[in-house]
Amino acid sequence: MIVSTIEQALNQGTRRAADVILWLMAALHVAMVASLLVVLTFAGSARADDQTCRGRNLLRQLETENKAAFDSLVDEAAEVPNGKGLFWQVEKPGTPPSWLFGTMHVTDPRVLAMPNAARDALMKASTVAIESDEILDEKKAMAAMLMKPELSMFTDGSTIVDHLDDTDAKILEEGLRDRGLSLAAVSRMKPWILAGFVALPACELARKASGASFLDKKIAEDAVAAGKTVKGLETLEEQLAAMDELPLSFHIEALLETLALGDRMQDVMSTMTDLYVSGDIGMTMPMLKAVTDSHSGSDGSYAAFEQRIVTDRNHVMANRSMPILKEGNAFIAVGALHLPGEEGLVELLRKQGFTVSLVN
């Protein structure tokens, strides 16, 4: 019932959309970094005047059309550990308190505004940590990507077309053309690089092309301007390698399905943004998984993706946060979807002996 209702809300029943959408949201930071290569090269394809985001909130529509299905999602979200809230205080006796803040890797003004308490803590912190401090300089970030071309480009002499049948190649060519890109110009880019570009709504690309910073970068920029120490919990190479380790077939499927979603991705992004602003992070995955076709054949691939891109990285970021938290007065900002769950950062920090409390 839930699947059917949300599929209707998506207006054409995207039968395997969840793999794509979950890929997008869990890896959006990596996708934003990857899109540098495309946006910096093809910035003209994103119209600077097309910054108005469109899209409807799917959950509001679901609540109106099927209250029982909506209530079921609410109940499921309530079971997600630490699924409510973006801003957490991290404490241990003898150490000044620190802060953990969940971000959304977009340039939406509502997201950039940040809760007042989080902004105050950011200004008072002596050290600020984000997923990767290399994003502070986009040209250096792109240079770092190009230092390891095998992580983002086909270096074996093949192109993406060599990995597609004729039908899919045509779909890709037409989809890229609709977004102002020539297949010939990007044919050596790996599919997840292209997906990181085509998955983002036109309004997001337009803001980025005009120089807007997504939230994590804005936090780091404000910290630098205030003379604070900025640290990264991962390197871009590590993030790129994590994506590249997953099966090529998974990324090709994600790219093609992202193209198929087209403007419907705006509805998903609108819903995601509303959930983020309200702090209902625990509702995110139940809502997205509700659009999954239960007969999807890519469950195994997504499980591998979730392990490598979400869970493994949670542990890396938690471990690398330890010396920063031991100093105290730190502000740690990572993607909000890394916070909830049994192996989310909130629980992982608690297992390291910290008291982690939600700040309302």
Side-chain angles (χ1 to χ4, degrees):
M1 177 66 71
I2 296 174
V3 172
S4 175
T5 302
I6 295 235
E7 284 181 339
Q8 291 172 7
L10 281 172
N11 246 356
Q12 286 180 23
T14 307
R15 297 190 56 78
R16 299 180 65 184
D19 284 343
V20 178
I21 299 166
L22 290 168
W23 172 92
L24 170 67
M25 299 320 303
L28 190 52
H29 178 73
V30 185
M32 288 295 286
V33 172
S35 71
L36 291 175
L37 188 61
V38 181
V39 173
L40 292 181
T41 306
F42 302 99
S45 66
R47 290 169 40 202
D49 62 344
D50 190 17
Q51 297 188 21
T52 302
C53 292
R54 303 170 183 85
R56 53 186 170 164
N57 187 307
L58 298 176
L59 287 175
R60 290 176 188 163
Q61 181 171 346
L62 178 62
E63 184 177 18
T64 299
E65 296 181 353
N66 191 329
K67 186 65 162 56
F70 175 81
D71 290 343
S72 179
L73 289 184
V74 171
D75 291 342
E76 183 179 352
E79 297 298 318
V80 177
N82 312 308
K84 192 79 172 177
L86 298 172
F87 187 46
W88 302 76
Q89 182 170 282
V90 183
E91 300 174 284
K92 183 176 280 191
T95 303
S98 292
W99 312 93
L100 177 65
F101 179 62
T103 66
M104 186 174 182
H105 311 308
V106 295
T107 63
D108 190 300
R110 292 190 300 154
V111 172
L112 295 180
M114 294 179 60
N116 289 334
R119 182 162 292 283
D120 290 344
L122 173 62
M123 291 298 99
K124 294 175 182 176
S126 56
T127 300
V128 173
I130 58 175
E131 291 182 24
S132 171
D133 59 346
E134 295 167 271
I135 62 173
L136 277 165
D137 188 325
E138 291 192 344
K139 291 184 179 179
K140 286 181 66 175
M142 188 169 75
M145 291 175 63
L146 296 177
M147 288 292 291
K148 290 281 188 177
E150 68 276 10
L151 298 180
S152 57
M153 311 283 286
F154 291 109
T155 57
D156 59 358
S158 69
T159 69
I160 192 168
V161 175
D162 296 321
H163 301 276
L164 302 173
D165 61 30
D166 291 343
T167 299
D168 288 342
K170 185 175 181 180
I171 291 173
L172 176 59
E173 183 174 19
E174 292 176 351
L176 291 174
R177 186 187 305 122
D178 290 342
R179 290 160 175 80
L181 292 175
S182 162
L183 175 59
V186 299
S187 63
R188 294 198 180 277
M189 292 182 183
K190 289 192 173 178
W192 67 268
I193 294 285
L194 296 177
F197 178 74
V198 302
L200 297 172
C203 59
E204 185 67 36
L205 290 172
R207 287 193 297 253
K208 184 163 182 56
S210 65
S213 297
F214 59 101
L215 178 56
D216 306 65
K217 186 182 178 189
K218 182 68 164 56
I219 287 172
E221 289 170 336
D222 289 348
V224 169
K228 304 178 187 297
T229 299
V230 177
K231 297 183 177 182
L233 301 177
E234 302 175 294
T235 67
L236 291 181
E237 182 178 336
E238 288 173 328
Q239 293 179 333
L240 296 168
M243 292 292 281
D244 193 56
E245 288 171 12
L246 295 171
L248 178 63
S249 59
F250 175 80
H251 289 307
I252 288 176
E253 182 181 15
L255 172 58
L256 294 171
E257 291 178 350
T258 301
L259 289 167
L261 278 172
D263 290 341
R264 285 169 289 169
M265 184 63 79
Q266 295 186 66
D267 294 337
V268 175
M269 289 296 293
S270 178
T271 308
M272 284 289 306
T273 303
D274 288 346
L275 288 175
Y276 174 81
V277 171
S278 67
D280 291 323
I281 306 305
M283 177 69 91
T284 304
M285 288 302 185
M287 184 274 290
L288 296 178
K289 288 180 179 178
V291 304
T292 306
D293 175 12
S294 61
H295 300 292
S296 173
S298 58
D299 291 345
S301 294
Y302 178 71
F305 161 78
E306 186 173 31
Q307 179 66 41
R308 185 66 188 92
I309 302 299
V310 183
T311 305
D312 288 354
R313 292 178 60 215
N314 288 351
H315 284 270
V316 168
M317 288 190 283
N319 290 336
R320 292 179 182 172
S321 295
M322 288 302 104
I324 299 171
L325 293 172
K326 286 178 181 178
E327 292 294 324
N329 196 29
F331 186 94
I332 297 176
V334 300
L337 291 183
H338 290 289
L339 303 188
E342 295 291 348
E343 293 190 83
L345 277 177
V346 172
E347 284 302 316
L348 292 177
L349 294 182
R350 285 172 177 162
K351 290 175 182 177
Q352 293 284 352
F354 291 91
T355 298
V356 186
S357 308
L358 180 64
V359 179
N360 293 318

